[in-house]
Amino acid sequence: MFVFGVALSLLAFLIMFAFGIVYAGRSQTGATVHVIAAARDIDAREPITLDMLTTSAFPANTLPAGKTYTSLTQLVGFAAVVPIYKGEAITDNLVTNSDQISPSQSSYLPIPKGYVAMTLPTSEQQGVAGYIAQGDYIDVIATVNTQQFSPVNPRSVAKTVLTNLYVLRVGPQTVVPRQGQPQGVSSSITVVITQCDAEYLDWLLQNATLKYTLLSYHDYQTVPGCSNDTAPGLIGPTQVDGRWGFTKGS
């Protein structure tokens, strides 16, 4: 009886093992569908471009929950809500329209090649009462005492030192509307500038009084400053006066 019981147990085990193999095989042989997947890792909040995407085949029963996409163009103008990993099928719960993602949350700043971002202090009187907005262009006026450059005829003079600086961001976590709409005043603005101009501007921030003027949108243009290819080296009163001529006419 003991041997008979062991045989029955072994037989039951073999039957269940065979049944499991057959069931697993059937569960993996569903219909295959072609959907859009990530061709590389995509960071959270990163705008999605066509080169990030590919078409991949997935068993229908392995696709994650959510709407999938079958055309690359369906994802134009979208951005990732969370990190999406290479080979992962893209569903509607992983992406959103890029307009719904705040620019201040972008994973990186859109700084053009050859330029840097620099943050400048601002206030109501200094920064056009808070009307400077992301995407605007500003000019910078510096007021200095010429005694810093020469003891001859010291006086305060004002001069426009930098023009057409592109405003990349306005204040930390501050949403500012377009020109012509009222808004609370931020304490900082971040502009796109060459490294060379940034060094001159840093000297002015420490030794001059700065104010910004907001350009009309009709006058927006990109005007380069000093080149990044020619490092200015040490910046002091001589270099600043030599560039902008604060003491001319003294």
Side-chain angles (χ1 to χ4, degrees), residues 26-237:
R26 288 181 177 178
S27 65
Q28 294 177 4
T29 57
T32 299
V33 294
H34 290 79
V35 299
I36 304 304
R40 66 166 177 81
D41 290 347
I42 303 173
D43 293 329
R45 298 183 295 276
E46 185 175 3
I48 293 176
T49 56
L50 295 181
D51 61 295
M52 301 177 182
L53 307 174
T54 187
T55 301
S56 297
F58 293 87
N61 58 349
T62 65
L63 288 174
K67 172 190 172 184
T68 55
Y69 300 90
T70 56
S71 172
L72 298 177
T73 56
Q74 289 178 289
L75 289 163
V76 172
F78 281 71
V81 177
V82 295
I84 303 174
Y85 301 102
K86 181 178 180 180
E88 184 177 357
I90 297 178
T91 56
D92 60 349
N93 59 336
L94 300 179
V95 296
T96 187
N97 191 301
S98 57
D99 292 339
Q100 299 177 16
I101 294 183
S102 169
S104 64
Q105 295 178 320
S106 178
S107 57
Y108 60 90
L109 289 176
I111 303 172
K113 183 178 180 181
Y115 290 81
V116 297
M118 184 176 186
T119 299
L120 310 177
T122 188
S123 62
E124 182 179 7
Q125 296 296 321
Q126 184 180 18
V128 200
Y131 285 99
I132 297 175
Q134 177 182 327
D136 284 335
Y137 285 83
I138 62 171
D139 288 352
V140 179
I141 300 173
T143 301
V144 299
N145 192 307
T146 59
Q147 189 171 14
Q148 297 185 81
F149 310 116
S150 170
V152 179
N153 189 23
R155 66 199 190 281
S156 292
V157 297
K159 191 177 186 71
T160 299
V161 291
L162 293 170
T163 61
N164 289 278
L165 293 183
Y166 178 72
V167 179
L168 193 63
R169 294 286 188 269
V170 176
Q173 305 299 320
T174 300
V175 179
V176 181
R178 295 299 302 168
Q179 183 174 326
Q181 299 179 1
Q183 175 69 29
V185 180
S186 175
S187 62
S188 68
I189 56 176
T190 300
V191 298
V192 172
I193 192 171
T194 66
Q195 183 66 35
C196 171
D197 281 338
E199 293 184 30
Y200 278 99
L201 188 52
D202 185 63
W203 188 92
L204 290 170
L205 284 168
Q206 299 178 58
N207 298 279
T209 300
L210 301 184
K211 282 192 174 182
Y212 317 122
T213 56
L214 176 59
L215 300 184
S216 164
Y217 71 93
H218 295 293
D219 298 326
Y220 286 176
Q221 57 183 309
T222 302
V223 178
C226 61
S227 171
N228 279 338
D229 297 332
T230 55
L234 185 66
I235 300 297

